[in-house]
């Protein structure tokens, strides 16, 4: 495996400094990343050939998320790949793949994004598998950075209940499906977590046919864990991104970290919709240096000023 090119390494350093400084030069930096990707990512360069050069971050051409299924989307030589994360692959075309030649920016985005959202660094436990158990899961990798090795409780429900009863304050991190499975396993049992405890759910029912409205799921958190609706957080992210967006409770917009942006666009014209209108969610992620910084998702959202209220898959 070759080392990343000098140009890639220098740009990675610039991006890392931007993230550490709170994204103050976001537009300048993401336009620089876009130019680098246009020149060094052959598939993305071909895609961009039909667009004028971007002068604002909003003008950067966004690849459809499905492109991660059909193309490599690397901004570095393929032999430099050190990790590849895969989507669940439940939709047509097989799994999407996100390739990395360095995990540095993903690490920074995961840990700084969590803390920047106001979530505590201590007393976090996971009902997501460890990265060693799910090496192709970007979420498991993120959890392995946030949670100590002895605080993983995937498929260890009796041990989880015991820990929850003995811990003064806790943050439980898991997919919506993992929480739902846990609640169903509890049956009529109801725990009462100490004041200040939180839950962070990441969505995720893919391929299970067990979709549940968020309001109904959050009632389960109240019933089985004694958590108020506002004590339940949602993390919006995806394998094709390196950064995450957070909200808590119901009806609140997701807030972006300083190094990322969400844009709600008209599904046909591609222009940003007016405040309060619904459109398709487009993400601009400075930490996606090794792939593509602009991704067109398949999710519907309502524009809320510079943020978005997520509605779900189109």
């Amino acid at each position: 495996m070759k080392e990343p090119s000098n140009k890639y390494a220098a740009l990675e350093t610039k991006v890392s400094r931007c993230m550490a400084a709170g994204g103050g030069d976001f537009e300048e930096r993401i336009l620089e990343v876009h130019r680098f990707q246009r020149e060094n990512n052959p598939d993305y360069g071909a895609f961009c050939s039909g667009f004028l050069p971007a002068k604002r971050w909003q003008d950067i051409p966004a690849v459809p998320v499905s492109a991660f299924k059909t193309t490599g989307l690397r901004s570095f030589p393929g032999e430099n790949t050190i990790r590849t994360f895969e989507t669940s692959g439940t939709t047509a075309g097989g799994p999407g793949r996100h390739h990395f030649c360095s995990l540095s920016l993903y690490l920074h985005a995961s840990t700084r994004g969590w803390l920047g959202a106001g979530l505590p660094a201590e007393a976090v436990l996971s009902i997501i598998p460890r990265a060693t158990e799910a090496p192709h899961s970007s979420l498991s990798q993120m959890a392995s950075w946030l949670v100590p090795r002895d605080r993983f409780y995937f498929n260890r429900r009796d041990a989880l209940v015991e820990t929850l009863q003995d811990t003064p304050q806790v943050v439980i991190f898991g997919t919506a499906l993992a929480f739902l499975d846990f609640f169903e396993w509890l049956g009529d049992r109801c725990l009462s977590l100490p004041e200040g405890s939180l839950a962070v759910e990441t969505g995720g029912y893919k391929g299970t046919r067990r979709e549940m409205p968020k309001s109904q799921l959050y009632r389960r958190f109240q019933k089985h864990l004694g958590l108020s609706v506002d004590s339940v957080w949602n993390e919006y992210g995806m394998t094709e991104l390196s950064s995450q967006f957070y909200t808590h409770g119901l009806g609140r917009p997701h807030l972006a970290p300083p190094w990322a942006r969400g844009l709600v666009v008209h599904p046909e014209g591609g222009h940003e919709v007016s405040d309060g209108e619904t459109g398709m969610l487009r993400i601009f992620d400075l930490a996606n240096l090794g792939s593509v910084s602009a991704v067109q998702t398949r999710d519907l959202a309502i524009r809320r000023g510079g943020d978005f209220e997520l509605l779900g898959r189109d």
Side-chain angles (χ1 to χ4, degrees):
M1 182 190 73
K2 297 180 180 178
E3 293 296 323
S5 69
N6 291 337
K7 191 171 183 180
Y8 184 100
L11 191 50
E12 183 180 58
T13 298
K14 287 184 179 181
V15 170
S16 182
R17 288 173 178 168
C18 175
M19 295 170 70
D25 58 348
F26 170 81
E27 181 160 66
E28 177 185 357
R29 200 58 56 222
I30 201 166
L31 286 171
E32 184 179 8
V33 166
H34 164 63
R35 291 190 294 268
F36 173 81
Q37 292 175 338
R38 192 165 179 158
E39 295 172 1
N40 293 275
N41 187 329
D43 294 310
Y44 184 58
F47 175 78
C48 289
S49 63
F51 296 85
L52 294 173
K55 295 182 178 180
R56 310 177 306 154
W57 65 265
Q58 297 94 329
D59 299 329
I60 295 174
V63 298
V65 70
S66 59
F68 285 83
K69 298 175 182 284
T70 58
T71 62
L73 290 180
R74 293 179 177 88
S75 296
F76 55 88
E79 61 267 26
N80 285 13
T81 304
I82 62 166
R83 288 289 294 279
T84 296
F85 297 119
E86 296 184 355
T87 63
S88 62
T90 56
T91 55
R97 294 181 174 88
H98 194 177
H99 308 286
F100 289 79
C101 66
S102 167
L103 292 180
S104 175
L105 296 180
Y106 184 38
L107 168 62
H108 293 335
S110 298
T111 55
R112 290 174 177 164
W114 178 278
L115 296 175
L119 290 163
E122 305 297 328
V124 184
L125 57 84
S126 173
I127 54 176
I128 296 165
R130 295 185 183 92
T132 52
E133 297 170 311
H136 297 301
S137 167
S138 58
L139 184 60
S140 287
Q141 180 59 70
M142 177 183 173
S144 292
W145 286 325
L146 294 170
V147 182
R149 285 186 56 83
D150 62 347
R151 303 287 278 182
F152 280 81
Y153 293 90
F154 179 70
N155 285 339
R156 298 173 56 221
R157 292 167 183 159
D158 287 315
L160 174 60
V161 169
E162 184 177 344
T163 298
L164 293 177
Q165 291 173 333
D166 294 339
T167 303
Q169 192 179 56
V170 69
V171 180
I172 313 175
F173 186 35
T175 65
L177 179 61
F179 278 113
L180 181 56
D181 284 343
F182 179 54
F183 296 154
E184 291 179 348
W185 177 81
L186 282 173
D188 293 331
R189 288 182 291 173
C190 299
L191 309 177
S192 182
L193 300 187
E195 185 177 353
S197 295
L198 304 171
V200 182
E201 56 93 7
T202 68
Y205 297 99
K206 291 181 180 179
T208 65
R209 299 182 180 179
R210 300 181 67 197
E211 197 82 23
M212 175 178 287
K214 181 179 282 191
S215 59
Q216 185 176 342
L217 176 65
Y218 281 26
R219 285 197 294 270
R220 298 285 189 97
F221 281 97
Q222 290 180 295
K223 174 183 177 181
H224 291 288
L225 298 179
L227 293 176
S228 69
V229 168
D230 284 345
S231 295
V232 184
W233 288 65
N234 173 259
E235 176 257 292
Y236 175 75
M238 59 180 66
T239 302
E240 298 87 352
L241 299 174
S242 299
S243 298
Q244 301 81 37
F245 299 72
Y246 291 93
T247 188
H248 66 99
L250 296 172
R252 290 188 176 92
H254 280 77
L255 304 181
W259 55 85
R261 300 286 188 276
L263 196 69
V264 183
V265 301
H266 191 278
E268 295 178 358
H271 56 274
E272 186 175 18
V273 302
S274 299
D275 194 24
E277 289 188 346
T278 299
M280 304 301 298
L281 181 61
R282 184 175 294 174
I283 300 295
F284 298 82
D285 186 359
L286 188 55
N288 257 24
L289 173 61
S291 53
V292 177
S293 61
V295 177
Q296 180 62 58
T297 78
R298 296 179 58 194
D299 292 315
L300 288 169
I302 303 172
R303 179 184 173 186
R304 301 297 189 196
D307 302 307
F308 61 88
E309 181 182 341
L310 189 68
L311 296 178
R313 182 65 57 87
D314 176 19

